[in-house]
Amino acid sequence: MAEIAVKKQPTRRCTGCGERSPKSALVRILRTPDGNIVLDKTGKLSGRGAYLCKNPACLKKARKVSRLESSLSCSIPSEIYERLEEELL
Ligand SMILES: [Zn+2]
């Protein structure tokens, strides 16, 4: 198989659209140990994370079906969504 020769990048599934993409094309939404929801741009923070495309539409999708909440097992107030959306633009 030719694909084996291709250097593999770790992929993650977007919480919004469900597509798998290389980690570098995604952003990580993170619940920090003290309960904050942040956009982890460096990918280096620790905590429970969910991946999203760098696309506000994916955030909207995830919000609509509360999939981020289930991934992070916490409720996310709308001001957090708004802040995340701004940061994605
Ligand atoms: Zn997506």
Side-chain angles (χ1 to χ4, degrees):
M1 294 280 236
E3 272 178 52
I4 293 170
V6 175
K7 204 175 161 194
K8 279 207 172 171
Q9 268 208 63
T11 60
R12 292 292 180 272
R13 194 179 297 276
C14 169
T15 312
C17 63
E19 298 278 330
R20 290 190 82 85
S21 305
K23 273 173 84 174
S24 56
L26 301 168
V27 289
R28 193 160 166 251
I29 313 287
L30 191 87
R31 179 160 68 100
T32 62
D34 55 1
N36 272 323
I37 309 289
V38 296
L39 196 65
D40 177 16
K41 285 180 173 147
T42 61
K44 290 190 171 61
L45 299 173
S46 67
R48 201 184 166 93
Y51 289 87
L52 266 187
C53 303
K54 288 173 185 163
N55 183 349
C58 287
L59 179 65
K60 286 203 181 87
K61 272 188 207 166
R63 180 180 183 175
K64 210 170 168 185
V65 295
S66 303
R67 212 179 286 149
L68 265 184
E69 275 99 333
S70 23
S71 292
L72 302 177
S73 10
C74 66
S75 62
I76 304 177
S78 46
E79 61 259 33
I80 300 283
Y81 276 114
E82 277 148 32
R83 206 187 64 212
L84 293 174
E85 208 174 310
E86 272 169 33
E87 287 187 63
L88 277 175
L89 290 175

